[in-house]
């Protein structure tokens, strides 16, 4: 029964972000790994003026410590296959810095979620999954709202003063 619930939980947890992270090589945020343009596998249309489009979010990878304790491993994740790099003119250090700050923002939200999901004992595994799913959904919603605000205030990286403000905030 616990294995069935475990499979169900993973399916439910990945459903909201499945479109963003289906397939491909994804990687977790790290203090030592910084984004590079090589991490973006999709090419923008040749006539596109669009800047980079990063596909990232927050996921939970649960594991069971023992019969009564679940551990929630929370990660900010970047999807290589789903992220689009701009044309050569748009591949600037400033644009890449803007996207790295967004990834750092995702990690900030993952850290908040980690504090909300400590190793916990629940009467049922299903109860843990329901609570974890809600917290993860809220964390991703909050990250996307902050990410939108970040783009609006920084004008997608073009607003130098606003970018510096966000750099300090994150």
């Amino acid at each position: 029964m616990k294995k069935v619930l475990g499979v169900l939980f993973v399916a439910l947890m990945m459903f909201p972000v499945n479109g963003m992270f289906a397939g491909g090589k994804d990687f977790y945020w790290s203090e030592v790994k910084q984004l590079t343009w090589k991490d973006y596998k999709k090419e923008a249309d040749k006539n596109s003026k669009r800047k980079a489009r990063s596909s990232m979010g927050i996921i939970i990878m649960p594991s069971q410590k023992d019969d009564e304790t679940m551990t929630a491993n929370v990660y900010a994740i970047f999807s290589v296959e789903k992220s689009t790099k701009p044309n050569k003119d748009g591949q600037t250090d400033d644009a890449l810095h803007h996207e790295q700050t967004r990834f750092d923002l995702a990690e900030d939200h993952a850290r908040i979620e980690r504090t909300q999901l400590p190793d916990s004992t629940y009467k049922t595994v299903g109860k843990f999954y329901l609570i974890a799913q809600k917290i993860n959904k809220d964390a991703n919603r909050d990250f996307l709202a902050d990410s939108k605000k970040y783009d609006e205030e920084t004008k997608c990286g073009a607003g130098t003063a606003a970018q510096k403000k966000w750099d300090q905030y994150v």
Side-chain angles (χ1 to χ4, degrees):
M1 181 67 170
K2 287 182 182 180
K3 287 183 181 181
V4 172
L5 287 173
V7 171
L8 178 63
F9 173 69
V10 171
L12 288 172
M13 291 303 295
M14 290 307 293
F15 180 74
V17 293
N18 191 35
M20 290 180 9
F21 302 118
K25 297 176 182 174
D26 302 336
F27 59 86
Y28 303 137
W29 182 92
S30 163
E31 290 181 24
V32 295
K33 166 79 171 112
Q34 298 289 300
L35 293 176
T36 68
W37 289 121
K38 291 178 183 178
D39 294 326
Y40 292 75
K41 295 303 178 197
K42 287 179 75 176
E43 299 282 341
D45 294 335
K46 291 187 179 188
N47 297 328
S48 175
K49 294 181 181 179
R50 184 176 215 171
K51 301 196 182 236
R53 182 176 184 138
S54 298
S55 180
M56 57 185 70
I58 304 163
I59 63 167
I60 298 176
M61 301 297 289
S63 60
Q64 190 157 356
K65 267 187 166 178
D66 55 46
D67 287 344
E68 296 179 3
T69 306
M70 295 294 295
T71 302
N73 302 299
V74 180
Y75 303 100
I77 191 168
F78 178 88
S79 177
V80 172
E81 299 295 327
K82 299 287 181 183
S83 295
T84 304
K85 62 183 161 190
N87 60 31
K88 287 287 185 193
D89 292 339
Q91 293 181 31
T92 65
D93 290 342
D94 288 341
L96 190 60
H97 173 78
H98 180 77
E99 294 307 311
Q100 178 63 52
T101 302
R102 181 187 322 281
F103 199 19
D104 296 343
L105 183 61
E107 174 60 18
D108 284 351
H109 283 274
R111 289 176 183 181
I112 292 167
E113 185 174 349
R114 283 183 203 116
T115 65
Q116 296 170 343
L117 282 172
D119 292 355
S120 300
T121 302
Y122 295 90
K123 291 187 179 187
T124 66
V125 174
K127 180 78 170 172
F128 171 81
Y129 291 147
L130 290 174
I131 292 168
Q133 181 182 22
K134 179 174 181 346
I135 291 171
N136 185 254
K137 183 179 177 181
D138 291 347
N140 273 292
R141 182 198 63 228
D142 293 347
F143 163 63
L144 291 174
D146 277 355
S147 184
K148 181 179 178 183
K149 181 179 177 185
Y150 170 59
D151 277 342
E152 289 170 354
E153 289 183 7
T154 63
K155 297 178 179 52
C156 295
T160 308
Q163 182 67 51
K164 287 180 182 177
K165 176 185 146 203
W166 275 88
D167 291 345
Q168 291 174 350
Y169 171 72
V170 175

